Amino acid sequence: MATLQIDSVNVFARSHYMPFFSRLGEYEVATLDDHLFRGPGRYVEYWAHVASFVPMEDWGLFDFRMQELRAKYGAVDGWFHAHAATVDWVRRELRDRGPLRPAEIEHDSRTAPRGPWWDWDAVKRSLEYLWLFGEVAIAGRRGFERTYALAEDVIPDSILAEPVPRTDAIRELVYRAARAYGVATAADLADYWRIRDRRAVLAAIADLVDAGELQPVSVDGWGSNGRSVPTWVHKDARLPRRVDAAALLTPFDPMVWFRDRAVRLFDFEYRIEIYTPASARVYGYYSLPVIIGDDVVARVDLKADRATSTLLVQSAWWESAVPEDAAARLAAEIRRAARWQGLETISVSSWGDATGPLAAELVEAQRHGSTPVLGAPADNLEE
């Protein structure tokens, strides 16, 4: 875990809570909230993979991205330049009033006697651009609502004063991606931080090979037409004698977030169906990949029904390779998920070829019909 992707969908649990549950089991979500959101801390949000948490001291690593995004969206013929008056007003609000939640800025934008009634969508867009450009930082969250502040009010002066040169930053980010993945292609390493400059990524890989940090390898099955795809292994990577994991994953877990890698590793093809009409969904609104052993063997669509304190298994599907104990181990993970979310009961639908075996293991569970219970509206602004 070199970064933690943020996502606003909250049907079962918000995505940034899931990787720690997958790796550590049940934990107190409030503890993570305190660590990430409240007051001056060790972590800050930025467009690292997409919207993600990164260590505060890494702010300067993304200076090259801030400059690239400013060049892309701050051009004289673009929206940002055309709405300069609104942008300047937002800057003044944050300078004069300090960190503000969007609701506080919205109220002032419509009622302040000192200025016009700004269009609220323009105010929100200004905040997002200023964040992407590194002028604004996220000072915390209340619930899931961001608090915005000028970067100098959040990021220590010592960090702001030392932006990392582009070549050095990309080299460091490629190194961290390689350390996180263990073994990876150039595409894997680039996607970890969404670095679009392939030439810069390959140059960073070459530097790391020369420095002894990475070693070229070949991986059986990674390639086409008899040719293997160039691949590198990190010097500290270790091949375990066996892997015997059991975990529910968010679709935005680094294990599976790069779909090409998920196909290479697990022969697992994933498409999120939040934006797919309900009648056209194949697996469900927000299905979670399931690791059993060392493979993705299933996917389950979970919904936390808070009103009835019930974990709803909306659908469950097997992949091609299913171990004999898969249903029992998946049932154990479902029970663990319900406890983690403080839900008292479990109900399993009949939608999907894994629901029958799963229900047979979850002898305490209720059953509900095969018609999927729709999730919350797709309000995924972080994407």
Side-chain angles (χ1 to χ4, degrees):
M1 294 296 299
T3 189
L4 182 63
Q5 182 174 337
I6 305 167
D7 190 83
S8 61
V9 176
N10 192 26
V11 179
F12 166 60
R14 295 196 192 278
S15 185
H16 57 279
Y17 294 125
M18 283 290 296
F20 299 106
F21 172 68
S22 302
R23 288 153 177 78
L24 305 174
E26 300 159 61
Y27 72 95
E28 290 289 340
V29 169
T31 302
L32 183 60
D33 285 345
D34 288 340
H35 202 51
L36 295 174
F37 293 143
R38 299 190 176 99
R42 295 175 53 198
Y43 297 93
V44 69
E45 299 178 32
Y46 190 63
W47 203 258
H49 176 73
V50 288
S52 309
F53 292 106
V54 295
M56 181 79 73
E57 60 267 23
D58 287 350
W59 182 262
L61 270 178
F62 297 96
D63 180 74
F64 78 95
R65 175 156 296 160
M66 297 169 188
Q67 303 308 317
E68 290 174 352
L69 290 171
R70 183 179 290 276
K72 179 178 180 179
Y73 295 114
V76 294
D77 59 346
W79 183 96
F80 189 79
H81 188 268
H83 292 77
T86 306
V87 173
D88 287 342
W89 178 83
V90 170
R91 286 193 186 102
R92 289 196 301 273
E93 284 289 284
L94 296 177
R95 184 185 64 238
D96 296 344
R97 300 176 62 196
L100 295 169
R101 292 179 294 113
E104 295 171 305
I105 303 173
E106 179 182 19
H107 178 268
D108 199 45
S109 72
R110 302 199 181 282
T111 62
R114 60 188 175 187
W117 287 19
W118 303 109
D119 177 79
W120 177 230
D121 288 337
V123 172
K124 288 191 294 185
R125 196 167 179 181
S126 298
L127 285 167
E128 289 300 298
Y129 277 135
L130 290 169
W131 174 61
L132 291 175
F133 300 168
E135 288 190 53
V136 161
I138 309 304
R141 291 185 183 241
R142 179 182 296 180
F144 201 68
E145 185 183 25
R146 283 171 165 169
T147 298
Y148 293 85
L150 294 179
E152 56 261 35
D153 292 335
V154 177
I155 311 298
D157 292 342
S158 59
I159 296 173
L160 288 176
E162 295 187 4
V164 180
R166 185 178 192 274
T167 298
D168 295 343
I170 291 177
R171 183 184 186 278
E172 177 63 21
L173 291 171
V174 169
Y175 170 80
R176 293 187 188 189
R179 185 178 61 190
Y181 273 153
V183 61
T185 67
D188 296 336
L189 299 174
D191 180 79
Y192 203 97
W193 305 104
R194 297 291 174 92
I195 301 172
R196 307 299 184 190
D197 188 340
R198 180 172 177 81
R199 181 177 297 178
V201 170
L202 291 175
I205 291 171
D207 284 350
L208 292 166
V209 170
D210 290 343
E213 301 290 347
L214 301 184
Q215 177 184 347
V217 294
S218 61
V219 178
D220 291 345
W222 285 19
S224 60
N225 299 322
R227 299 181 61 184
S228 60
V229 62
T231 307
W232 294 266
V233 63
H234 188 272
K235 67 175 184 179
D236 295 330
R238 296 291 180 265
L239 181 64
R241 292 185 179 182
R242 64 193 296 265
V243 175
D244 190 23
L248 304 173
L249 304 180
T250 168
F252 304 121
D253 191 297
M255 287 286 291
V256 292
W257 66 9
F258 185 36
R259 307 312 184 209
D260 290 351
R261 182 177 172 86
V263 171
R264 273 185 276 114
L265 282 174
F266 305 117
D267 194 24
F268 176 69
E269 296 187 12
Y270 186 89
R271 176 186 175 189
I272 197 164
E273 296 184 296
I274 290 173
Y275 306 106
T276 304
S279 60
R281 289 176 188 146
V282 177
Y283 297 108
Y285 180 81
Y286 193 63
S287 60
L288 307 179
V290 180
I291 292 275
I292 300 290
D294 64 353
D295 202 2
V296 175
V297 305
R299 60 186 91 195
V300 294
D301 185 23
L302 300 183
K303 178 182 175 65
D305 187 340
R306 306 292 176 185
T308 63
S309 193
T310 301
L311 178 60
L312 299 172
V313 181
Q314 305 282 62
S315 70
W317 305 85
W318 297 126
E319 294 297 305
S320 55
V322 184
E324 290 184 2
D325 62 347
R329 298 187 70 181
L330 175 54
E333 291 305 305
I334 295 294
R335 290 188 184 101
R336 190 196 308 267
R339 290 195 305 268
W340 178 51
Q341 289 294 302
L343 302 171
E344 297 175 357
T345 58
I346 299 170
S347 182
V348 182
S349 81
S350 57
W351 185 27
D353 61 359
T355 55
L358 181 59
E361 294 289 340
L362 291 168
V363 293
E364 75 279 18
Q366 304 168 3
R367 299 300 301 269
H368 61 275
S370 60
T371 302
V373 181
L374 301 184
D379 181 24
N380 190 6
L381 302 181
E382 307 297 345
E383 284 290 295

